[in-house]
Amino acid sequence: MNRLSLTLSRGIARVTESALGPYQSAVIRIGFAATWLLFLLREFPHRQELYGPDGPWSWDLAQQLTSDNHAFTALMWSAGQGWFEGFYLLAILSSAALLLGWRTRTASVLFMVGVLSLQNRSVFVGDGGDNVLHLMSFYLVFTRCGQVWSLDARRAARVEAARARGERVRADRLGPVLWAVLGLALGGVTLAGRFDNGWLVPALLWTVWAVLGLWGAVQRRAKSQEPWILLDVIANVLHNGALFVIMAEACLIYATAGWYKIQGSRWQDGTAVYYPLHLDYFSPWPALADLMSSSGTIMMIVTYGTVMVQVAFPFTLFNRRVKNVLLVLMMTEHAVIAVVLGLPFFSLAMITADAVFLPTAFLLLLGGWAARARGQLVRRGDGDRTLPPPRSAEESRPGRVGFTA
Amino acid sequence: MDAYDEDSQARHGPDGSTGARRPQDPGDREGSPAREGSADPDGPHARDDSGDPDGPFTPEGSGGPDGSPPLPPAPRTGVAGLSPRYQVGAAVALAVVAVAACVHLGMVFLSLAPANTVTKQHGKAIEQWVYPEFEQNWKLFAPNPLQQNIAVQVRAEVRMKDGSMRTTGWNDLSARDGAAIDGSLLPSHTQQNELRRAWDFFAATHGADNRPVGMRGALSEQYVRRVVVMRLYREDAISREGVIQRVQVRSSTTNVQPPKWSSEKISDKPVYRLLPWWTVSADEAAGGVR
């Protein structure tokens, strides 16, 4: 009994005093934001056809469907071209901001609004990749995903360094302005009665806005330290809860995909993988597909292997080594799917979802490489100006920031 | 991407519009000029006493401010640093988040699971929770992958500039999609999903007699019509030179032939589903994306 309570109190301490998995949450932030950003850029020439007011799924059709299913989409606020074009641009910008970790929390909210609005506007052009992004954009709002590898983190470090040198740190100006502008926008939309279709997303938007305001006020004014610690604890708890939900969601995806496959006769007779490779809509490289499916034995192994990996994955989380082996297998399979079935954005989204389970040590290594590559690029671009060498992964202290899953 | 690793332990604001300011640590609040946490001999003690020997998640002991009377070994953050009144708030938050996460995952699980005792009793509640924003479908190629190529084909009656009517031949729009995808590393949703899913939507909301089922049936009909009209104006030479009056759509379903190494035999004749002629409204004929 005593041990149980000790474990429990340790667990509570863990989930309240820090936002776990800073590198994992950063990598999924970057991954999902990049997927959506690349998708928006890829479809930029087709944006009118997919989401525009005069597209085949016209504004009127979308109006009828969304007033029936109450899905949130800001694109139904106006049928004007200007609003659509502006919104598409905003969606691109918010993805870029989230990718870079610029005002991460605000960017994540705008990112979610962009993803939900565009996808709910035209639900019949999406696929599994859109579905993953839809869910994850919502969950990301609750995470502190800008703790590392973000402009926010860099800014915080600079402020910290300046303070350590005893310099006066200028108060942040842009933050309150951004907050006020978004508050005005929310107020305007609410007063105009545009939030009348479903309560979930509007309630979330207002809540986040209010909490950000409270956060700023507490930091600035509170005489006591405690309100701020409480807010910090709540933010940590929310982050850890959301990260747990994200991981569980990834497990649900694989479990559903796997367990339903077991029931299929084609997955049982070992030919299932052959068929998608020969569908006109999923075979950009027919010769490659033919080559891959030339051996019945290989097809059977891939078919059985796919089912086994998908069904087994959630259970392997209890063993680090097996989990990492499966992660490699699944990421490889998705990379192959990206090319062979012509589903690059779906695959990128799935690989990103997998990445939440990567070990911290590996992510640090990755971060080190990225920083070094960036350093070299910057140096080459800057000619002979000397720059401090990029920080390598070794300088950091792996293990300190846990989640060595 | 910057790898500013030192920030991994930096506990900064909510990254939001107002959250740019880094929260100060207790030392700062109580007048300590600079942070000397790691050099402070009190640090390790503070860590040990926090009740969490696991280390990795314990914030670096920021220690007591220099010269001030020894502080209780409170960590910088976490519930241990709070008075009982605030601890209640933290406990409530923890409980709410834990319950919300579990309920949410339970609901999503039930929405994905096959129909069962619980979903039969509480189907309505599950639906209300999950739809529309948490809807998901992961039966990817399951239980069996699609084993047929379903092509959507269309022909049109076009009023030409001289007033005469001409009927186009069948345009195999899906075949064109397939050709457009060939050799592409980044197929567009317009090629891969638009027509394919429009037809899925239509088929799912129409009976075998091609009558629409419910409001969505009517919507899907308009949608398919708008897609094919847009495509005809873009891709069909005759349509481009006149105004489309009526369109007729059919689907052609062909089995994917079994692999060479299989002994299965399947018909390779396409099966057609012919829809009645649809009148194209002036709005559909004129407007839209070209």
mmCIF file with all atom_site columns, all heavy atoms in Angstrom, chain B residues 152-155 170 199 202 224-225 228 247-251 273-278:
data_model
loop_
_atom_site.group_PDB
_atom_site.id
_atom_site.type_symbol
_atom_site.label_atom_id
_atom_site.label_alt_id
_atom_site.label_comp_id
_atom_site.label_asym_id
_atom_site.label_entity_id
_atom_site.label_seq_id
_atom_site.pdbx_PDB_ins_code
_atom_site.Cartn_x
_atom_site.Cartn_y
_atom_site.Cartn_z
_atom_site.occupancy
_atom_site.B_iso_or_equiv
_atom_site.pdbx_formal_charge
_atom_site.auth_seq_id
_atom_site.auth_comp_id
_atom_site.auth_asym_id
_atom_site.auth_atom_id
_atom_site.pdbx_PDB_model_num
ATOM 1   N N   . VAL B 1 152 ? -15.105 6.582  -63.509 1.00 0.00 ? 152 VAL B N   1
ATOM 2   C CA  . VAL B 1 152 ? -16.282 7.415  -63.749 1.00 0.00 ? 152 VAL B CA  1
ATOM 3   C C   . VAL B 1 152 ? -16.151 8.012  -65.145 1.00 0.00 ? 152 VAL B C   1
ATOM 4   O O   . VAL B 1 152 ? -15.124 8.603  -65.483 1.00 0.00 ? 152 VAL B O   1
ATOM 5   C CB  . VAL B 1 152 ? -16.395 8.523  -62.690 1.00 0.00 ? 152 VAL B CB  1
ATOM 6   C CG1 . VAL B 1 152 ? -17.616 9.389  -62.964 1.00 0.00 ? 152 VAL B CG1 1
ATOM 7   C CG2 . VAL B 1 152 ? -16.477 7.920  -61.307 1.00 0.00 ? 152 VAL B CG2 1
ATOM 8   N N   . GLN B 1 153 ? -17.192 7.798  -65.952 1.00 0.00 ? 153 GLN B N   1
ATOM 9   C CA  . GLN B 1 153 ? -17.162 8.279  -67.333 1.00 0.00 ? 153 GLN B CA  1
ATOM 10  C C   . GLN B 1 153 ? -18.379 9.170  -67.555 1.00 0.00 ? 153 GLN B C   1
ATOM 11  O O   . GLN B 1 153 ? -19.412 8.996  -66.913 1.00 0.00 ? 153 GLN B O   1
ATOM 12  C CB  . GLN B 1 153 ? -17.175 7.085  -68.295 1.00 0.00 ? 153 GLN B CB  1
ATOM 13  C CG  . GLN B 1 153 ? -16.000 6.140  -68.028 1.00 0.00 ? 153 GLN B CG  1
ATOM 14  C CD  . GLN B 1 153 ? -16.087 4.833  -68.809 1.00 0.00 ? 153 GLN B CD  1
ATOM 15  O OE1 . GLN B 1 153 ? -17.128 4.523  -69.403 1.00 0.00 ? 153 GLN B OE1 1
ATOM 16  N NE2 . GLN B 1 153 ? -14.997 4.079  -68.804 1.00 0.00 ? 153 GLN B NE2 1
ATOM 17  N N   . VAL B 1 154 ? -18.237 10.105 -68.461 1.00 0.00 ? 154 VAL B N   1
ATOM 18  C CA  . VAL B 1 154 ? -19.323 11.066 -68.662 1.00 0.00 ? 154 VAL B CA  1
ATOM 19  C C   . VAL B 1 154 ? -19.425 11.452 -70.136 1.00 0.00 ? 154 VAL B C   1
ATOM 20  O O   . VAL B 1 154 ? -18.425 11.471 -70.859 1.00 0.00 ? 154 VAL B O   1
ATOM 21  C CB  . VAL B 1 154 ? -19.093 12.324 -67.782 1.00 0.00 ? 154 VAL B CB  1
ATOM 22  C CG1 . VAL B 1 154 ? -17.804 13.026 -68.169 1.00 0.00 ? 154 VAL B CG1 1
ATOM 23  C CG2 . VAL B 1 154 ? -20.269 13.283 -67.854 1.00 0.00 ? 154 VAL B CG2 1
ATOM 24  N N   . ARG B 1 155 ? -20.659 11.687 -70.565 1.00 0.00 ? 155 ARG B N   1
ATOM 25  C CA  . ARG B 1 155 ? -20.853 12.291 -71.882 1.00 0.00 ? 155 ARG B CA  1
ATOM 26  C C   . ARG B 1 155 ? -21.866 13.425 -71.728 1.00 0.00 ? 155 ARG B C   1
ATOM 27  O O   . ARG B 1 155 ? -22.594 13.477 -70.727 1.00 0.00 ? 155 ARG B O   1
ATOM 28  C CB  . ARG B 1 155 ? -21.324 11.270 -72.907 1.00 0.00 ? 155 ARG B CB  1
ATOM 29  C CG  . ARG B 1 155 ? -22.632 10.619 -72.565 1.00 0.00 ? 155 ARG B CG  1
ATOM 30  C CD  . ARG B 1 155 ? -23.019 9.650  -73.664 1.00 0.00 ? 155 ARG B CD  1
ATOM 31  N NE  . ARG B 1 155 ? -24.245 8.947  -73.346 1.00 0.00 ? 155 ARG B NE  1
ATOM 32  C CZ  . ARG B 1 155 ? -24.852 8.113  -74.175 1.00 0.00 ? 155 ARG B CZ  1
ATOM 33  N NH1 . ARG B 1 155 ? -24.338 7.881  -75.377 1.00 0.00 ? 155 ARG B NH1 1
ATOM 34  N NH2 . ARG B 1 155 ? -25.960 7.497  -73.829 1.00 0.00 ? 155 ARG B NH2 1
ATOM 35  N N   . TRP B 1 170 ? -18.039 9.185  -74.753 1.00 0.00 ? 170 TRP B N   1
ATOM 36  C CA  . TRP B 1 170 ? -17.763 8.978  -73.330 1.00 0.00 ? 170 TRP B CA  1
ATOM 37  C C   . TRP B 1 170 ? -16.357 9.472  -73.001 1.00 0.00 ? 170 TRP B C   1
ATOM 38  O O   . TRP B 1 170 ? -15.393 9.087  -73.653 1.00 0.00 ? 170 TRP B O   1
ATOM 39  C CB  . TRP B 1 170 ? -17.885 7.499  -72.965 1.00 0.00 ? 170 TRP B CB  1
ATOM 40  C CG  . TRP B 1 170 ? -19.317 7.030  -72.927 1.00 0.00 ? 170 TRP B CG  1
ATOM 41  C CD1 . TRP B 1 170 ? -19.947 6.282  -73.880 1.00 0.00 ? 170 TRP B CD1 1
ATOM 42  C CD2 . TRP B 1 170 ? -20.272 7.293  -71.904 1.00 0.00 ? 170 TRP B CD2 1
ATOM 43  N NE1 . TRP B 1 170 ? -21.248 6.056  -73.514 1.00 0.00 ? 170 TRP B NE1 1
ATOM 44  C CE2 . TRP B 1 170 ? -21.485 6.666  -72.293 1.00 0.00 ? 170 TRP B CE2 1
ATOM 45  C CE3 . TRP B 1 170 ? -20.258 7.998  -70.702 1.00 0.00 ? 170 TRP B CE3 1
ATOM 46  C CZ2 . TRP B 1 170 ? -22.648 6.716  -71.525 1.00 0.00 ? 170 TRP B CZ2 1
ATOM 47  C CZ3 . TRP B 1 170 ? -21.405 8.042  -69.937 1.00 0.00 ? 170 TRP B CZ3 1
ATOM 48  C CH2 . TRP B 1 170 ? -22.589 7.413  -70.345 1.00 0.00 ? 170 TRP B CH2 1
ATOM 49  N N   . TRP B 1 199 ? -17.488 10.041 -56.255 1.00 0.00 ? 199 TRP B N   1
ATOM 50  C CA  . TRP B 1 199 ? -18.253 8.877  -56.676 1.00 0.00 ? 199 TRP B CA  1
ATOM 51  C C   . TRP B 1 199 ? -18.571 7.960  -55.482 1.00 0.00 ? 199 TRP B C   1
ATOM 52  O O   . TRP B 1 199 ? -19.676 7.429  -55.368 1.00 0.00 ? 199 TRP B O   1
ATOM 53  C CB  . TRP B 1 199 ? -17.528 8.106  -57.779 1.00 0.00 ? 199 TRP B CB  1
ATOM 54  C CG  . TRP B 1 199 ? -18.368 6.975  -58.263 1.00 0.00 ? 199 TRP B CG  1
ATOM 55  C CD1 . TRP B 1 199 ? -18.204 5.650  -57.977 1.00 0.00 ? 199 TRP B CD1 1
ATOM 56  C CD2 . TRP B 1 199 ? -19.550 7.064  -59.063 1.00 0.00 ? 199 TRP B CD2 1
ATOM 57  N NE1 . TRP B 1 199 ? -19.211 4.918  -58.554 1.00 0.00 ? 199 TRP B NE1 1
ATOM 58  C CE2 . TRP B 1 199 ? -20.061 5.759  -59.230 1.00 0.00 ? 199 TRP B CE2 1
ATOM 59  C CE3 . TRP B 1 199 ? -20.240 8.134  -59.654 1.00 0.00 ? 199 TRP B CE3 1
ATOM 60  C CZ2 . TRP B 1 199 ? -21.213 5.487  -59.950 1.00 0.00 ? 199 TRP B CZ2 1
ATOM 61  C CZ3 . TRP B 1 199 ? -21.391 7.857  -60.374 1.00 0.00 ? 199 TRP B CZ3 1
ATOM 62  C CH2 . TRP B 1 199 ? -21.861 6.552  -60.525 1.00 0.00 ? 199 TRP B CH2 1
ATOM 63  N N   . PHE B 1 202 ? -21.402 9.470  -53.765 1.00 0.00 ? 202 PHE B N   1
ATOM 64  C CA  . PHE B 1 202 ? -22.627 9.241  -54.527 1.00 0.00 ? 202 PHE B CA  1
ATOM 65  C C   . PHE B 1 202 ? -23.122 7.811  -54.317 1.00 0.00 ? 202 PHE B C   1
ATOM 66  O O   . PHE B 1 202 ? -24.305 7.579  -54.016 1.00 0.00 ? 202 PHE B O   1
ATOM 67  C CB  . PHE B 1 202 ? -22.367 9.496  -56.019 1.00 0.00 ? 202 PHE B CB  1
ATOM 68  C CG  . PHE B 1 202 ? -23.577 9.275  -56.884 1.00 0.00 ? 202 PHE B CG  1
ATOM 69  C CD1 . PHE B 1 202 ? -24.435 10.324 -57.174 1.00 0.00 ? 202 PHE B CD1 1
ATOM 70  C CD2 . PHE B 1 202 ? -23.872 8.014  -57.401 1.00 0.00 ? 202 PHE B CD2 1
ATOM 71  C CE1 . PHE B 1 202 ? -25.561 10.125 -57.960 1.00 0.00 ? 202 PHE B CE1 1
ATOM 72  C CE2 . PHE B 1 202 ? -24.995 7.810  -58.184 1.00 0.00 ? 202 PHE B CE2 1
ATOM 73  C CZ  . PHE B 1 202 ? -25.843 8.866  -58.462 1.00 0.00 ? 202 PHE B CZ  1
ATOM 74  N N   . VAL B 1 224 ? -21.328 15.504 -57.895 1.00 0.00 ? 224 VAL B N   1
ATOM 75  C CA  . VAL B 1 224 ? -20.812 14.750 -59.036 1.00 0.00 ? 224 VAL B CA  1
ATOM 76  C C   . VAL B 1 224 ? -21.050 15.529 -60.327 1.00 0.00 ? 224 VAL B C   1
ATOM 77  O O   . VAL B 1 224 ? -20.172 15.630 -61.191 1.00 0.00 ? 224 VAL B O   1
ATOM 78  C CB  . VAL B 1 224 ? -21.468 13.350 -59.107 1.00 0.00 ? 224 VAL B CB  1
ATOM 79  C CG1 . VAL B 1 224 ? -21.142 12.672 -60.428 1.00 0.00 ? 224 VAL B CG1 1
ATOM 80  C CG2 . VAL B 1 224 ? -21.010 12.492 -57.946 1.00 0.00 ? 224 VAL B CG2 1
ATOM 81  N N   . ARG B 1 225 ? -22.242 16.116 -60.433 1.00 0.00 ? 225 ARG B N   1
ATOM 82  C CA  . ARG B 1 225 ? -22.564 16.870 -61.651 1.00 0.00 ? 225 ARG B CA  1
ATOM 83  C C   . ARG B 1 225 ? -21.602 18.042 -61.827 1.00 0.00 ? 225 ARG B C   1
ATOM 84  O O   . ARG B 1 225 ? -21.083 18.289 -62.907 1.00 0.00 ? 225 ARG B O   1
ATOM 85  C CB  . ARG B 1 225 ? -24.008 17.361 -61.583 1.00 0.00 ? 225 ARG B CB  1
ATOM 86  C CG  . ARG B 1 225 ? -24.524 17.902 -62.894 1.00 0.00 ? 225 ARG B CG  1
ATOM 87  C CD  . ARG B 1 225 ? -26.029 17.854 -62.963 1.00 0.00 ? 225 ARG B CD  1
ATOM 88  N NE  . ARG B 1 225 ? -26.668 18.644 -61.919 1.00 0.00 ? 225 ARG B NE  1
ATOM 89  C CZ  . ARG B 1 225 ? -27.549 18.154 -61.044 1.00 0.00 ? 225 ARG B CZ  1
ATOM 90  N NH1 . ARG B 1 225 ? -27.882 16.889 -61.078 1.00 0.00 ? 225 ARG B NH1 1
ATOM 91  N NH2 . ARG B 1 225 ? -28.076 18.925 -60.129 1.00 0.00 ? 225 ARG B NH2 1
ATOM 92  N N   . VAL B 1 228 ? -18.112 16.764 -62.915 1.00 0.00 ? 228 VAL B N   1
ATOM 93  C CA  . VAL B 1 228 ? -17.972 16.325 -64.312 1.00 0.00 ? 228 VAL B CA  1
ATOM 94  C C   . VAL B 1 228 ? -18.132 17.495 -65.285 1.00 0.00 ? 228 VAL B C   1
ATOM 95  O O   . VAL B 1 228 ? -17.437 17.545 -66.310 1.00 0.00 ? 228 VAL B O   1
ATOM 96  C CB  . VAL B 1 228 ? -18.937 15.166 -64.669 1.00 0.00 ? 228 VAL B CB  1
ATOM 97  C CG1 . VAL B 1 228 ? -18.646 13.946 -63.809 1.00 0.00 ? 228 VAL B CG1 1
ATOM 98  C CG2 . VAL B 1 228 ? -20.386 15.570 -64.553 1.00 0.00 ? 228 VAL B CG2 1
ATOM 99  N N   . VAL B 1 247 ? -25.906 16.121 -68.927 1.00 0.00 ? 247 VAL B N   1
ATOM 100 C CA  . VAL B 1 247 ? -24.787 15.180 -68.830 1.00 0.00 ? 247 VAL B CA  1
ATOM 101 C C   . VAL B 1 247 ? -25.327 13.810 -68.411 1.00 0.00 ? 247 VAL B C   1
ATOM 102 O O   . VAL B 1 247 ? -26.351 13.705 -67.736 1.00 0.00 ? 247 VAL B O   1
ATOM 103 C CB  . VAL B 1 247 ? -23.721 15.608 -67.802 1.00 0.00 ? 247 VAL B CB  1
ATOM 104 C CG1 . VAL B 1 247 ? -22.924 16.792 -68.282 1.00 0.00 ? 247 VAL B CG1 1
ATOM 105 C CG2 . VAL B 1 247 ? -24.343 15.880 -66.445 1.00 0.00 ? 247 VAL B CG2 1
ATOM 106 N N   . GLN B 1 248 ? -24.613 12.791 -68.837 1.00 0.00 ? 248 GLN B N   1
ATOM 107 C CA  . GLN B 1 248 ? -24.923 11.453 -68.359 1.00 0.00 ? 248 GLN B CA  1
ATOM 108 C C   . GLN B 1 248 ? -23.637 10.823 -67.823 1.00 0.00 ? 248 GLN B C   1
ATOM 109 O O   . GLN B 1 248 ? -22.596 10.886 -68.462 1.00 0.00 ? 248 GLN B O   1
ATOM 110 C CB  . GLN B 1 248 ? -25.496 10.587 -69.484 1.00 0.00 ? 248 GLN B CB  1
ATOM 111 C CG  . GLN B 1 248 ? -25.977 9.245  -68.965 1.00 0.00 ? 248 GLN B CG  1
ATOM 112 C CD  . GLN B 1 248 ? -26.623 8.393  -70.035 1.00 0.00 ? 248 GLN B CD  1
ATOM 113 O OE1 . GLN B 1 248 ? -26.233 8.439  -71.203 1.00 0.00 ? 248 GLN B OE1 1
ATOM 114 N NE2 . GLN B 1 248 ? -27.605 7.590  -69.630 1.00 0.00 ? 248 GLN B NE2 1
ATOM 115 N N   . VAL B 1 249 ? -23.763 10.225 -66.650 1.00 0.00 ? 249 VAL B N   1
ATOM 116 C CA  . VAL B 1 249 ? -22.592 9.652  -65.988 1.00 0.00 ? 249 VAL B CA  1
ATOM 117 C C   . VAL B 1 249 ? -22.779 8.150  -65.891 1.00 0.00 ? 249 VAL B C   1
ATOM 118 O O   . VAL B 1 249 ? -23.895 7.656  -65.700 1.00 0.00 ? 249 VAL B O   1
ATOM 119 C CB  . VAL B 1 249 ? -22.441 10.252 -64.569 1.00 0.00 ? 249 VAL B CB  1
ATOM 120 C CG1 . VAL B 1 249 ? -21.318 9.561  -63.805 1.00 0.00 ? 249 VAL B CG1 1
ATOM 121 C CG2 . VAL B 1 249 ? -22.191 11.749 -64.641 1.00 0.00 ? 249 VAL B CG2 1
ATOM 122 N N   . ARG B 1 250 ? -21.708 7.439  -66.076 1.00 0.00 ? 250 ARG B N   1
ATOM 123 C CA  . ARG B 1 250 ? -21.751 6.002  -65.794 1.00 0.00 ? 250 ARG B CA  1
ATOM 124 C C   . ARG B 1 250 ? -20.454 5.618  -65.091 1.00 0.00 ? 250 ARG B C   1
ATOM 125 O O   . ARG B 1 250 ? -19.432 6.297  -65.224 1.00 0.00 ? 250 ARG B O   1
ATOM 126 C CB  . ARG B 1 250 ? -21.928 5.191  -67.074 1.00 0.00 ? 250 ARG B CB  1
ATOM 127 C CG  . ARG B 1 250 ? -20.700 5.171  -67.962 1.00 0.00 ? 250 ARG B CG  1
ATOM 128 C CD  . ARG B 1 250 ? -20.890 4.256  -69.162 1.00 0.00 ? 250 ARG B CD  1
ATOM 129 N NE  . ARG B 1 250 ? -19.659 4.209  -69.971 1.00 0.00 ? 250 ARG B NE  1
ATOM 130 C CZ  . ARG B 1 250 ? -19.582 3.630  -71.163 1.00 0.00 ? 250 ARG B CZ  1
ATOM 131 N NH1 . ARG B 1 250 ? -20.647 3.070  -71.706 1.00 0.00 ? 250 ARG B NH1 1
ATOM 132 N NH2 . ARG B 1 250 ? -18.442 3.613  -71.824 1.00 0.00 ? 250 ARG B NH2 1
ATOM 133 N N   . SER B 1 251 ? -20.547 4.537  -64.329 1.00 0.00 ? 251 SER B N   1
ATOM 134 C CA  . SER B 1 251 ? -19.318 4.013  -63.733 1.00 0.00 ? 251 SER B CA  1
ATOM 135 C C   . SER B 1 251 ? -19.009 2.694  -64.401 1.00 0.00 ? 251 SER B C   1
ATOM 136 O O   . SER B 1 251 ? -19.906 1.944  -64.780 1.00 0.00 ? 251 SER B O   1
ATOM 137 C CB  . SER B 1 251 ? -19.483 3.821  -62.230 1.00 0.00 ? 251 SER B CB  1
ATOM 138 O OG  . SER B 1 251 ? -20.332 2.733  -61.965 1.00 0.00 ? 251 SER B OG  1
ATOM 139 N N   . ARG B 1 273 ? -22.576 0.950  -64.618 1.00 0.00 ? 273 ARG B N   1
ATOM 140 C CA  . ARG B 1 273 ? -23.749 1.452  -63.907 1.00 0.00 ? 273 ARG B CA  1
ATOM 141 C C   . ARG B 1 273 ? -24.094 2.776  -64.567 1.00 0.00 ? 273 ARG B C   1
ATOM 142 O O   . ARG B 1 273 ? -23.336 3.745  -64.446 1.00 0.00 ? 273 ARG B O   1
ATOM 143 C CB  . ARG B 1 273 ? -23.423 1.650  -62.424 1.00 0.00 ? 273 ARG B CB  1
ATOM 144 C CG  . ARG B 1 273 ? -24.557 2.305  -61.647 1.00 0.00 ? 273 ARG B CG  1
ATOM 145 C CD  . ARG B 1 273 ? -24.201 2.378  -60.176 1.00 0.00 ? 273 ARG B CD  1
ATOM 146 N NE  . ARG B 1 273 ? -25.255 3.028  -59.399 1.00 0.00 ? 273 ARG B NE  1
ATOM 147 C CZ  . ARG B 1 273 ? -25.170 3.226  -58.095 1.00 0.00 ? 273 ARG B CZ  1
ATOM 148 N NH1 . ARG B 1 273 ? -24.109 2.823  -57.426 1.00 0.00 ? 273 ARG B NH1 1
ATOM 149 N NH2 . ARG B 1 273 ? -26.158 3.822  -57.456 1.00 0.00 ? 273 ARG B NH2 1
ATOM 150 N N   . LEU B 1 274 ? -25.221 2.776  -65.279 1.00 0.00 ? 274 LEU B N   1
ATOM 151 C CA  . LEU B 1 274 ? -25.576 3.946  -66.073 1.00 0.00 ? 274 LEU B CA  1
ATOM 152 C C   . LEU B 1 274 ? -26.599 4.787  -65.322 1.00 0.00 ? 274 LEU B C   1
ATOM 153 O O   . LEU B 1 274 ? -27.650 4.287  -64.932 1.00 0.00 ? 274 LEU B O   1
ATOM 154 C CB  . LEU B 1 274 ? -26.150 3.479  -67.421 1.00 0.00 ? 274 LEU B CB  1
ATOM 155 C CG  . LEU B 1 274 ? -26.435 4.565  -68.455 1.00 0.00 ? 274 LEU B CG  1
ATOM 156 C CD1 . LEU B 1 274 ? -25.156 5.189  -68.966 1.00 0.00 ? 274 LEU B CD1 1
ATOM 157 C CD2 . LEU B 1 274 ? -27.225 3.963  -69.628 1.00 0.00 ? 274 LEU B CD2 1
ATOM 158 N N   . LEU B 1 275 ? -26.284 6.054  -65.144 1.00 0.00 ? 275 LEU B N   1
ATOM 159 C CA  . LEU B 1 275 ? -27.222 6.953  -64.473 1.00 0.00 ? 275 LEU B CA  1
ATOM 160 C C   . LEU B 1 275 ? -28.085 7.644  -65.531 1.00 0.00 ? 275 LEU B C   1
ATOM 161 O O   . LEU B 1 275 ? -27.683 7.729  -66.698 1.00 0.00 ? 275 LEU B O   1
ATOM 162 C CB  . LEU B 1 275 ? -26.467 8.013  -63.667 1.00 0.00 ? 275 LEU B CB  1
ATOM 163 C CG  . LEU B 1 275 ? -25.494 7.496  -62.607 1.00 0.00 ? 275 LEU B CG  1
ATOM 164 C CD1 . LEU B 1 275 ? -24.936 8.671  -61.805 1.00 0.00 ? 275 LEU B CD1 1
ATOM 165 C CD2 . LEU B 1 275 ? -26.170 6.502  -61.677 1.00 0.00 ? 275 LEU B CD2 1
ATOM 166 N N   . PRO B 1 276 ? -29.247 8.136  -65.135 1.00 0.00 ? 276 PRO B N   1
ATOM 167 C CA  . PRO B 1 276 ? -30.082 8.867  -66.100 1.00 0.00 ? 276 PRO B CA  1
ATOM 168 C C   . PRO B 1 276 ? -29.414 10.185 -66.507 1.00 0.00 ? 276 PRO B C   1
ATOM 169 O O   . PRO B 1 276 ? -28.520 10.683 -65.822 1.00 0.00 ? 276 PRO B O   1
ATOM 170 C CB  . PRO B 1 276 ? -31.371 9.121  -65.329 1.00 0.00 ? 276 PRO B CB  1
ATOM 171 C CG  . PRO B 1 276 ? -31.021 8.982  -63.893 1.00 0.00 ? 276 PRO B CG  1
ATOM 172 C CD  . PRO B 1 276 ? -29.881 8.025  -63.822 1.00 0.00 ? 276 PRO B CD  1
ATOM 173 N N   . TRP B 1 277 ? -29.874 10.746 -67.627 1.00 0.00 ? 277 TRP B N   1
ATOM 174 C CA  . TRP B 1 277 ? -29.379 12.061 -68.032 1.00 0.00 ? 277 TRP B CA  1
ATOM 175 C C   . TRP B 1 277 ? -29.773 13.090 -66.977 1.00 0.00 ? 277 TRP B C   1
ATOM 176 O O   . TRP B 1 277 ? -30.883 13.053 -66.456 1.00 0.00 ? 277 TRP B O   1
ATOM 177 C CB  . TRP B 1 277 ? -29.995 12.462 -69.376 1.00 0.00 ? 277 TRP B CB  1
ATOM 178 C CG  . TRP B 1 277 ? -29.327 11.808 -70.559 1.00 0.00 ? 277 TRP B CG  1
ATOM 179 C CD1 . TRP B 1 277 ? -29.712 10.654 -71.173 1.00 0.00 ? 277 TRP B CD1 1
ATOM 180 C CD2 . TRP B 1 277 ? -28.187 12.290 -71.264 1.00 0.00 ? 277 TRP B CD2 1
ATOM 181 N NE1 . TRP B 1 277 ? -28.880 10.363 -72.207 1.00 0.00 ? 277 TRP B NE1 1
ATOM 182 C CE2 . TRP B 1 277 ? -27.931 11.352 -72.300 1.00 0.00 ? 277 TRP B CE2 1
ATOM 183 C CE3 . TRP B 1 277 ? -27.338 13.399 -71.132 1.00 0.00 ? 277 TRP B CE3 1
ATOM 184 C CZ2 . TRP B 1 277 ? -26.863 11.504 -73.186 1.00 0.00 ? 277 TRP B CZ2 1
ATOM 185 C CZ3 . TRP B 1 277 ? -26.286 13.553 -72.023 1.00 0.00 ? 277 TRP B CZ3 1
ATOM 186 C CH2 . TRP B 1 277 ? -26.055 12.604 -73.026 1.00 0.00 ? 277 TRP B CH2 1
ATOM 187 N N   . TRP B 1 278 ? -28.828 13.985 -66.678 1.00 0.00 ? 278 TRP B N   1
ATOM 188 C CA  . TRP B 1 278 ? -29.107 15.065 -65.739 1.00 0.00 ? 278 TRP B CA  1
ATOM 189 C C   . TRP B 1 278 ? -29.109 16.387 -66.499 1.00 0.00 ? 278 TRP B C   1
ATOM 190 O O   . TRP B 1 278 ? -28.197 16.647 -67.295 1.00 0.00 ? 278 TRP B O   1
ATOM 191 C CB  . TRP B 1 278 ? -28.022 15.166 -64.674 1.00 0.00 ? 278 TRP B CB  1
ATOM 192 C CG  . TRP B 1 278 ? -28.067 14.117 -63.608 1.00 0.00 ? 278 TRP B CG  1
ATOM 193 C CD1 . TRP B 1 278 ? -29.158 13.443 -63.153 1.00 0.00 ? 278 TRP B CD1 1
ATOM 194 C CD2 . TRP B 1 278 ? -26.946 13.627 -62.853 1.00 0.00 ? 278 TRP B CD2 1
ATOM 195 N NE1 . TRP B 1 278 ? -28.801 12.564 -62.158 1.00 0.00 ? 278 TRP B NE1 1
ATOM 196 C CE2 . TRP B 1 278 ? -27.450 12.662 -61.956 1.00 0.00 ? 278 TRP B CE2 1
ATOM 197 C CE3 . TRP B 1 278 ? -25.574 13.911 -62.845 1.00 0.00 ? 278 TRP B CE3 1
ATOM 198 C CZ2 . TRP B 1 278 ? -26.627 11.982 -61.053 1.00 0.00 ? 278 TRP B CZ2 1
ATOM 199 C CZ3 . TRP B 1 278 ? -24.763 13.241 -61.949 1.00 0.00 ? 278 TRP B CZ3 1
ATOM 200 C CH2 . TRP B 1 278 ? -25.288 12.288 -61.064 1.00 0.00 ? 278 TRP B CH2 1
#
